Amino acid sequence: MATDNLTAILYKINDIRLENRPIPEPKDDEVLLKMGSVGICGSDVHYLQNGKIGDFIVKEPMIMGHEASGTVVKVGSKVKNLKVGDRVAIEPGVPCRVCSFCKEGRYNLCPDVVFCATPPVHGNLSRYYTHAADFCFKLPDHVSLDEGALLEPLSVGVHACSRAGVTLGSTVLILGAGPIGLVSTLVAKYMGAKSLVCLDLLEGRLKVAKNCGADYTIQITPKDDINVVAQKIEETLGEKPGITIDCTGYENTVKIGLQATKNGGTFVLVGMGQDEVKIPLVNACAREIDIRGVFRYCNDYPRALAIVASGKVDVKQLITHRFSLEKTIEAFETAQKGIGNPVKIIIECN
């Protein structure tokens, strides 16, 4: 086994450094992974630019990365589900397993969850990394390491569509065609949405949304009148959407979504944009719109993997850029500046 463990570490705002760290030793219930693919997420860029997300503040140097896959090179003494040579997708959040949320099957709400690259927890953007074996999912031979890494954002889409109740015949509005909006589009169509419209500010993103299965796309501007946009959505679909999934978290799009959703429909908040927004809550209540939150995912990795393994959902089309681990700084610069209109950037750690 190689001795170098090149690692990408965020020291402070706009300061990522590559350093050689010792190769970690797996605990009894962990596996040591030679990392394969690691995707750059919007949260990674947010930490780089702002040094925090909400109450999660980078106070000490933190290893980046949480969308990841790798190959098992060593197993802990109590590991039974994996062996050396297995290729796995890494679910980055490991809960305590004993609190009421974990026991009720909602471990994403566990207050003691340890989540990669969320301060003060280190991530996995390195050559070698250890992780809890029961939160590693073996990949079938025909599923690539790139696809394994993309199970992380795809699981958000699976969780969002499940919370929204997407099923055969659903009419769906997706607000935002960034990576999470795109995976939500892929999953909603897979789950049987009969008609889906996607909104975004950027024409290029909407073209990708069409490739992901959106039946219709609408380009908007920040100055557009909310009622006019809502009317256009209804005219485009031929009816008001019964399900709206907001993947932006910004005030204007939340308002558009609530206005557009039919009476008795469901509005799901996925995007985390502004900390606080003003919304027409009385109007939403009077129309009995169910407003639901989404935080990461829970028991969704196996479903996301099954969807990809079926061949019916192509997440590889979201990959627009590739960089070696040695070029991590350049990769983050590309993500920060939007060079070449990136959708999903993959860093290859092999």
Side-chain angles (χ1 to χ4, degrees):
M1 189 168 67
T3 56
D4 87 285
N5 187 26
L6 193 63
T7 301
I9 304 167
L10 177 65
Y11 273 80
K12 57 185 179 181
I13 292 175
N14 292 324
D15 183 9
I16 290 184
R17 306 176 197 176
L18 288 171
E19 297 179 0
N20 230 326
R21 289 287 182 98
I23 296 175
E25 188 69 19
K27 298 176 183 176
D28 290 345
D29 58 353
E30 293 181 337
V31 290
L32 174 65
L33 301 168
K34 186 175 190 301
M35 297 302 292
S37 301
V38 179
I40 293 181
C41 173
S43 64
D44 296 319
V45 176
H46 201 88
Y47 280 123
L48 176 63
Q49 292 177 327
N50 301 286
K52 65 176 184 176
I53 296 178
D55 294 331
F56 298 106
I57 302 170
V58 179
K59 298 178 180 178
E60 300 289 338
M62 178 183 77
I63 298 172
M64 299 291 274
H66 65 271
E67 300 179 358
S69 63
T71 302
V72 177
V73 293
K74 193 172 184 178
V75 299
S77 62
K78 295 181 180 178
V79 174
K80 306 294 183 186
N81 62 315
L82 296 170
K83 64 182 185 304
V84 172
D86 285 344
R87 298 175 314 117
V88 301
I90 302 166
E91 181 171 351
V94 180
C96 76
R97 303 177 179 85
V98 297
C99 71
S100 61
F101 294 106
C102 289
K103 290 182 176 180
E104 291 166 5
R106 302 189 72 182
Y107 63 79
N108 58 320
L109 303 180
C110 171
D112 295 316
V113 66
V114 176
F115 198 94
C116 290
T118 300
V121 181
H122 287 304
N124 49 36
L125 185 47
S126 57
R127 196 84 72 194
Y128 292 94
Y129 167 75
T130 56
H131 199 73
D134 58 327
F135 278 79
C136 292
F137 296 87
K138 184 178 178 180
L139 300 175
D141 291 342
H142 67 286
V143 175
S144 69
L145 288 170
D146 285 347
E147 291 170 306
L150 292 177
L151 291 189
E152 200 279 338
L154 186 65
S155 292
V156 177
V158 171
H159 195 58
C161 289
S162 298
R163 291 276 289 159
V166 177
T167 188
L168 291 171
S170 296
T171 302
V172 180
L173 165 64
I174 303 284
L175 297 167
I180 298 303
L182 295 173
V183 294
S184 296
T185 298
L186 285 168
V187 174
K189 293 301 290 184
Y190 177 85
M191 288 183 169
K194 71 169 182 179
S195 189
L196 186 149
V197 61
C198 187
L199 269 68
D200 200 90
L201 300 171
L202 303 177
E203 182 181 3
R205 285 185 169 184
L206 291 174
K207 288 180 180 178
V208 182
K210 288 286 284 185
N211 292 336
C212 290
D215 300 291
Y216 311 101
T217 60
I218 298 174
Q219 186 175 6
I220 61 173
T221 74
K223 296 181 180 180
D224 286 345
D225 181 86
I226 289 167
N227 293 313
V228 171
V229 175
Q231 181 63 34
K232 187 171 184 178
I233 292 166
E234 183 176 359
E235 291 172 354
T236 299
L237 289 171
E239 60 182 314
K240 288 180 176 290
I243 292 170
T244 295
I245 300 175
D246 177 66
C247 301
T248 71
Y250 287 97
E251 187 170 301
N252 266 10
T253 50
V254 172
K255 288 179 176 179
I256 289 170
L258 287 171
Q259 182 67 24
T261 305
K262 77 175 184 181
N263 292 4
T266 301
F267 182 91
V268 174
L269 286 160
V270 186
M272 293 186 179
Q274 297 160 288
D275 287 343
E276 294 185 7
V277 298
K278 296 171 72 173
I279 63 172
L281 195 57
V282 172
N283 177 274
C285 289
R287 296 193 292 124
E288 288 201 350
I289 294 175
D290 289 342
I291 301 175
R292 301 177 183 176
V294 164
F295 186 59
R296 296 171 179 161
Y297 31 74
C298 184
N299 296 311
D300 295 301
Y301 252 71
R303 293 196 288 170
L305 177 53
I307 290 171
V308 171
S310 74
K312 295 179 180 178
V313 168
D314 178 19
V315 290
K316 296 191 300 295
Q317 65 180 301
L318 303 180
I319 301 172
T320 54
H321 295 69
R322 291 179 179 278
F323 293 88
S324 66
L325 181 57
E326 290 80 3
K327 302 235 180 212
T328 291
I329 295 172
E330 183 180 341
F332 272 92
E333 182 181 4
T334 299
Q336 267 188 299
K337 297 180 179 178
I339 299 169
N341 300 315
V343 176
K344 183 54 63 178
I345 297 173
I346 290 291
I347 297 174
E348 299 172 336
C349 300
N350 292 327

